Structure formats: C-alpha cells, structure tokens
Amino acid sequence: MEKGSIALTGSYFAHSRQPNVGAAPGNHDNGLGLNVSDMLKEHTLLFVFADIKNERNQFRDSVALTDDPGFNAYNAGFDSSILSAKRYAWGAGVELFSRKQGKIVTSLALSLSFHRLRQQESGLLHQTPYQRSYNLDQFSFSTRGNLLFNLSDRFKIALVSRVTMVNSLSANTDYSKEEKDNAGLRDGRINIYVAIPGVYIDYRAF
C-alpha cells in the first residue's frame, strides 16, 4: 500500500462439518470478519480487526454398544449433545516493512487481541437430561514474519510464519474437571503455538 492509503476488508468463512457430527437440521459453522488497515508511514502499517463465529453441532449417540457404528468416542462421555457456541475476537497491531531489495520485501507484524467464547450444551448424560455452559476469555499476542516476492505487477508469492502466545483466563463453567478434560476444554493456562511457513499466492488478472 502507498503511504496514507486505507484498506477495508470484509470476509465470510465456514468450515466443513466434523466427521462425528450428523447432518441434522440447524447445524452450522460460519463467521464474519472485518479488517481496517492504514499505511501510516512508508514502512509502517497499522491495523484493527474483529470477527464473530457462530456454530451449532448436534453430536450422535455416544452410548457404547457392541458393534455400534454410531458410537461417538469424542463426546466427552455424554450420551448425546447439542452444542451451540459464539466466538468473538477484537484486536489491533502494527506491521513494519523493510526497504525493497529488488523484488523481495520482508516485514514483521505484531498484534494483540482479546477473545471471548460463550458455549452452551444440552443433551443426555447416563440417559438423564443435562445442561452445561462454558464461558472463557483469552488474550493473545502474535508475531508474524513475512517474506514477499513481487514476481510482477500482477503476480506475488509470500511465505508467512507465526508464533502466538495465548493466555486463557479461568473459565466460568459448570462442567466438572473430568468433563472439561474429556472435552478438551483448557483454561487457566498459557499456551504457545508455532505455525510453520504457509504459502500465499496473489494473482490479479486485470
């Protein structure tokens, strides 16, 4: 981007259905995102972003019967469940660009964001109706390295790698410790995630 220019990006995204989730009516997994970027200086980009994800999954029966093809080993020990969740994220960051060296540009991006999960679950536990909730707030700090190859005015290739630190606060929940462990719900801890370089290709036909 040129110095002083502003870019606005909106996105819609969805994920394929989990293999242990049936095609029941009302199941969905989709989200909306918004990003605003401002090229403050020749080599400095400021950006803010937000997204919201909305999902609902109905898990099949997980009562262990002999030769039961519908047995769901991933359902945290519940007989069956309907899971609804909303995920929110807000953040801001800065990206610092190197001076152009031929057709190669490098940059380093730093961002800080806040995440909120609101999850509701209901179903059967030992054939008895149950309800559970799991509310979690997180803060994350991310650093991303970028290597951009400007092959032509209309064709670019970039390599991107990222390291993210996530601080999960203590969740407000009525899941038992065993249920949380079985469901993979982790709170009250700091995790570090390393993403190996990904490849992005940008081609503009006109």
Side-chain angles (χ1 to χ4, degrees):
M1 295 169 58
E2 298 295 329
K3 177 182 175 181
S5 58
I6 296 176
L8 175 66
T9 304
S11 60
Y12 167 80
F13 46 94
H15 303 90
S16 59
R17 192 169 59 244
Q18 300 179 46
N20 56 323
V21 175
N27 282 353
H28 58 261
D29 177 9
N30 49 51
L32 295 172
L34 180 67
N35 184 291
V36 180
S37 301
D38 179 10
M39 202 70 188
L40 186 65
K41 298 180 180 180
E42 185 178 358
H43 301 288
T44 305
L45 175 76
L46 299 180
F47 57 90
V48 295
F49 57 89
D51 65 58
I52 178 172
K53 303 179 182 70
N54 187 14
E55 59 188 85
R56 181 185 186 276
N57 291 307
Q58 182 171 345
F59 292 89
R60 296 192 293 267
D61 182 33
S62 66
V63 178
L65 301 176
T66 304
D67 299 325
D68 182 7
F71 173 62
N72 182 3
Y74 306 100
N75 202 19
F78 298 118
D79 303 335
S80 61
S81 60
I82 296 176
L83 179 70
S84 299
K86 289 186 180 293
R87 307 173 191 270
Y88 308 89
W90 304 269
V94 60
E95 186 166 5
L96 307 173
F97 293 88
S98 69
R99 295 190 179 278
K100 198 170 183 179
Q101 300 177 351
K103 294 186 176 183
I104 299 176
V105 177
T106 60
S107 70
L108 176 67
L110 306 172
S111 65
L112 183 66
S113 56
F114 172 76
H115 309 264
R116 171 163 287 177
L117 167 65
R118 294 295 179 259
Q119 178 175 295
Q120 300 291 328
E121 184 173 2
S122 62
L124 296 177
L125 175 60
H126 302 304
Q127 301 303 307
T128 302
Y130 80 93
Q131 288 187 333
R132 296 286 189 274
S133 64
Y134 186 81
N135 300 320
L136 177 67
D137 291 337
Q138 298 171 310
F139 291 93
S140 69
F141 174 76
S142 177
T143 176
R144 188 184 74 223
N146 310 290
L147 182 60
L148 175 66
F149 299 91
N150 289 295
L151 302 181
S152 71
D153 291 340
R154 291 189 286 180
F155 186 40
K156 301 176 183 181
I157 295 178
L159 299 177
V160 180
S161 58
R162 182 194 300 264
V163 177
T164 303
M165 180 177 68
V166 179
N167 181 11
S168 299
L169 306 181
S170 294
N172 180 9
T173 180
D174 50 10
Y175 283 91
S176 68
K177 183 180 184 306
E178 181 182 11
E179 289 169 350
K180 285 201 307 179
D181 291 342
N182 288 340
L185 299 173
R186 305 287 186 259
D187 63 313
R189 64 181 61 193
I190 295 177
N191 295 97
I192 296 178
Y193 302 95
V194 179
I196 61 175
V199 178
Y200 293 83
I201 298 175
D202 178 29
Y203 175 70
R204 304 185 183 191
F206 55 87

